[in-house]
Amino acid sequence: MVLADKLLIGTYKLRKCLKPGVALCSFRGGCLANYCSSNSPKPVTLPGSTFAQNTSRGGLQGHRPKEADLDISSPEEKPEISFDKAIRDEVKDHFRRLKDDIVNRWIGPEGRPLHEVLLEQAKVVWQFRGKEDLDKWVVTSDKTIGGRSEVFLKMGKNNQSALVYGTLSSAAPLDGEHSRSGYCAMISRPLRGPFERRRSYDWSQFNTLYLRVRGDGRPWMVNIKETTDLIQRKDQMYSYFMFTRGGPYWQEVKIPFSKFFFSNKGRIRDAQYQLMTDKISSIGFTLADKVDGPFFLEIDFIGVFTDPAHKEEFAYENSPELNPRLFK
């Protein structure tokens, strides 16, 4: 009877020890060693072992962890890349921009009422208040032809302006092809509509370019390009000078559109044409004063406005000898 009671008590304790949900500590006290067969070796659990680390996070669910609880990804699995989804998203974005263009055409530019646009006397086209404003511009220099000039563009103090700075070098590249060098430029990126369609700025209701800048006393060339599909006209632009005073104070520069002269590949043409302000593609600033050394130009904003006192339509004369097309 005593032997039978011991067997019954041992069986009961063994079932209780192997009950699912019991923590690992129940095994460490020799529970299996006391009630399992004496021929089987005792389990040895070393500190820091993998089994102890895995089971110390929570209770042991049965004799082996469930596969659903394991969060182990196979090394052969790769992130799913769907080109079809990317194309669909791109097409949706272009159609959304096309819809905005159509709606704005009926309502007015930038979704404003048309009567407000017609009565507008001034407009800020570019301002610099963050990195997204800098992304609308690109800088270039004579390094593209082997020169030594350097130009950089960054945000100014307190993210309230754009700072163009660098070093101008008039040393000609030693390639045997170019005899002149020494220029740096900052150019706005052309407007792009839906499906990469070219767009243009319409400044026909304004007559003056308006800038707020701060420079180091150097003269800059302001260049305006028209929207054109002709390859032979890609180097044509309209230009005028902007003289900076230098010093710590901001200056407001006002340049009438009638003052811009026509040039091709940097050369002023004998035949002059009036700037078409309803088809503006981009605007740029070029430094090429042949003075080697550091430079900087800080720009607050670039805009347009209507000067009621300015009545001049075109500042340059034409004659049948210079421009026969205008006198046919």
Side-chain angles (χ1 to χ4, degrees), residues 124-151:
V124 175
V125 184
W126 292 279
Q127 63 179 352
F128 302 94
R129 300 297 183 266
K131 184 180 180 301
E132 62 277 2
D133 297 325
L134 291 184
D135 294 338
K136 301 176 183 178
W137 296 79
V138 61
V139 291
T140 182
S141 69
D142 54 26
K143 274 194 170 183
T144 57
I145 61 172
R148 301 178 183 178
S149 301
E150 293 182 334
V151 59

Side-chain angles (χ1 to χ4, degrees), residues 30-159:
C31 179
L32 289 178
N34 294 333
Y35 300 106
C36 294
S37 174
S38 59
N39 296 329
S40 60
K42 296 182 180 180
V44 179
T45 305
L46 299 177
S49 63
T50 304
F51 183 78
Q53 291 176 0
N54 293 337
T55 53
S56 62
R57 299 174 184 174
L60 182 66
Q61 303 295 330
H63 298 287
R64 52 193 304 184
K66 295 182 180 179
E67 294 182 359
D69 296 334
L70 298 178
D71 189 14
I72 303 175
S73 58
S74 173
E76 299 179 357
E77 294 181 0
K78 297 181 179 180
E80 182 180 357
I81 301 176
S82 176
F83 291 99
D84 294 337
K85 184 178 181 300
I87 294 175
R88 287 196 302 268
D89 294 342
E90 185 73 15
V91 172
K92 287 180 181 179
D93 180 65
H94 282 291
F95 274 109
R96 178 185 58 78
R97 292 158 63 182
L98 179 62
K99 176 185 174 182
D100 294 340
D101 280 0
I102 296 174
V103 172
N104 291 341
R105 182 177 296 272
W106 288 102
I107 299 176
E110 301 176 358
R112 296 177 299 160
L114 192 58
H115 68 276
E116 292 184 4
V117 178
L118 295 177
L119 296 176
E120 191 175 38
Q121 297 295 318
K123 178 181 180 181
V124 175
V125 184
W126 292 279
Q127 63 179 352
F128 302 94
R129 300 297 183 266
K131 184 180 180 301
E132 62 277 2
D133 297 325
L134 291 184
D135 294 338
K136 301 176 183 178
W137 296 79
V138 61
V139 291
T140 182
S141 69
D142 54 26
K143 274 194 170 183
T144 57
I145 61 172
R148 301 178 183 178
S149 301
E150 293 182 334
V151 59
F152 307 96
L153 178 64
K154 70 175 184 179
M155 291 301 301
K157 188 176 181 180
N158 299 326
N159 291 337

